[in-house]
Amino acid sequence: MIEITGLAKKFAVDNPKKLSEQEQKDPRLKGKFFHSVQDVSLHCDSGQVLGLLGPNGAGKTTTLRMLSTALKPDAGDIKIGGRSVVTTPLVARKSIGFLSGATGLYGRLTGRENIAYFGQLHGMSKAAIKTKIEELASLLELETFLDRKCDNYSTGMKQKTAIARAVIHDPELVVLDEPTTGLDIMAAQTVLDFIKRLKDSGIPVIFSTHHLQEVSELCDRVTVISQGKTGFDGTLQEFEALVPGSLNQSFLSVVKRSNH
């Protein structure tokens, strides 16, 4: 189970006058600080998938970076299985599989070498790494390019390899930041099917997306972040009920309400 309560994070702005007109009008800009995340709370139980929604710049990626321990919150707490990510980041990091917006693969290494390297960082044995890579290669359809250097990969190849790398150590929680962005229909469906398998295995998954069809297909829970605050946090059914018949309108209603 993952539980986030009262999360907040601000960043110093050296020269507010250099910000765009839209950024200068953002109510989160207060003096020389931009409060990217102001008050975010959510939870996701074992075997659930939570869709994290919000307009561009709402604070989703900052929230996920705090969840991954890449950033330390200014306030609030994040607990995975009762353990605080904030107070014990090194311990918590072992239980998280995180895919950021950029794959960050080492281009001179093959896909297999990239995945194996992260397995080694997590203290896995060579035998365990080999077995897990073969399993993931089958699930994510990596076999045809796994031993090619990543420099020559397509966007879909890179994304699927990065997902395999993120889950090589069998994490307790999987966090995916827009995992299907830039993928063709076939590659995107492979990723969605993999998320369903994680769910069936009892692993909680949090993923941000702009595709509401993915939310309808996968999610048990939905959280909408708007201007750095939780505008909605509830079940998919509760989200659908906001404006029956249209997830788009449900989303827009939350954003509109949050901005007033």
Side-chain angles (χ1 to χ4, degrees), residues 115-164:
I115 300 168
Y117 175 60
F118 271 70
Q120 292 169 5
L121 290 179
H122 283 286
M124 297 174 64
S125 68
K126 289 185 178 180
I129 290 172
K130 181 179 179 181
T131 299
K132 190 64 180 180
I133 288 177
E134 295 307 316
E135 175 190 335
L136 291 170
S138 176
L139 292 175
L140 289 165
E141 301 177 0
L142 311 176
E143 294 98 336
T144 58
F145 55 86
L146 191 58
D147 292 304
R148 287 164 49 188
K149 288 187 177 181
C150 293
D151 267 344
N152 302 315
Y153 280 10
S154 67
T155 299
M157 292 173 182
K158 289 179 179 178
Q159 192 75 324
K160 290 195 286 186
T161 301
I163 290 174

Side-chain angles (χ1 to χ4, degrees), residues 7-169:
L7 215 56
K9 182 66 179 179
K10 67 179 183 292
F11 298 95
V13 179
D14 293 334
N15 188 349
K17 293 182 180 180
K18 290 186 177 181
L19 298 176
S20 68
E21 183 178 349
Q22 181 180 354
E23 290 171 330
Q24 291 183 30
K25 290 181 178 179
D26 194 309
R28 290 176 290 172
L29 180 63
K30 300 172 184 177
K32 289 195 174 183
F33 288 95
F34 185 79
H35 297 254
S36 178
V37 174
Q38 302 186 92
D39 185 6
V40 168
S41 298
L42 59 88
H43 77 273
C44 182
D45 292 331
S46 297
Q48 289 187 332
V49 176
L50 181 145
L52 187 63
L53 308 177
N56 288 332
K60 301 187 303 298
T61 295
T62 300
T63 296
L64 295 183
R65 290 183 68 194
M66 287 188 280
L67 174 54
S68 73
T69 74
L71 288 176
K72 185 175 181 180
D74 296 324
D77 201 3
I78 303 165
K79 291 184 177 179
I80 300 175
R83 300 188 305 276
S84 174
V85 170
V86 178
T87 58
T88 57
L90 292 179
V91 174
R93 198 171 296 164
K94 295 179 180 179
S95 64
I96 301 170
F98 181 69
L99 175 73
S100 67
T103 58
L105 297 174
Y106 297 105
R108 294 184 179 182
L109 300 181
T110 66
R112 187 185 302 276
E113 290 168 340
N114 268 279
I115 300 168
Y117 175 60
F118 271 70
Q120 292 169 5
L121 290 179
H122 283 286
M124 297 174 64
S125 68
K126 289 185 178 180
I129 290 172
K130 181 179 179 181
T131 299
K132 190 64 180 180
I133 288 177
E134 295 307 316
E135 175 190 335
L136 291 170
S138 176
L139 292 175
L140 289 165
E141 301 177 0
L142 311 176
E143 294 98 336
T144 58
F145 55 86
L146 191 58
D147 292 304
R148 287 164 49 188
K149 288 187 177 181
C150 293
D151 267 344
N152 302 315
Y153 280 10
S154 67
T155 299
M157 292 173 182
K158 289 179 179 178
Q159 192 75 324
K160 290 195 286 186
T161 301
I163 290 174
R165 184 184 64 180
V167 300
I168 182 68
H169 59 301

Side-chain angles (χ1 to χ4, degrees), residues 45-49 170-174 198-205:
D45 292 331
S46 297
Q48 289 187 332
V49 176
D170 288 325
E172 296 176 35
L173 167 71
V174 174
L198 291 173
K199 175 180 176 178
D200 291 341
S201 299
I203 298 171
V205 179

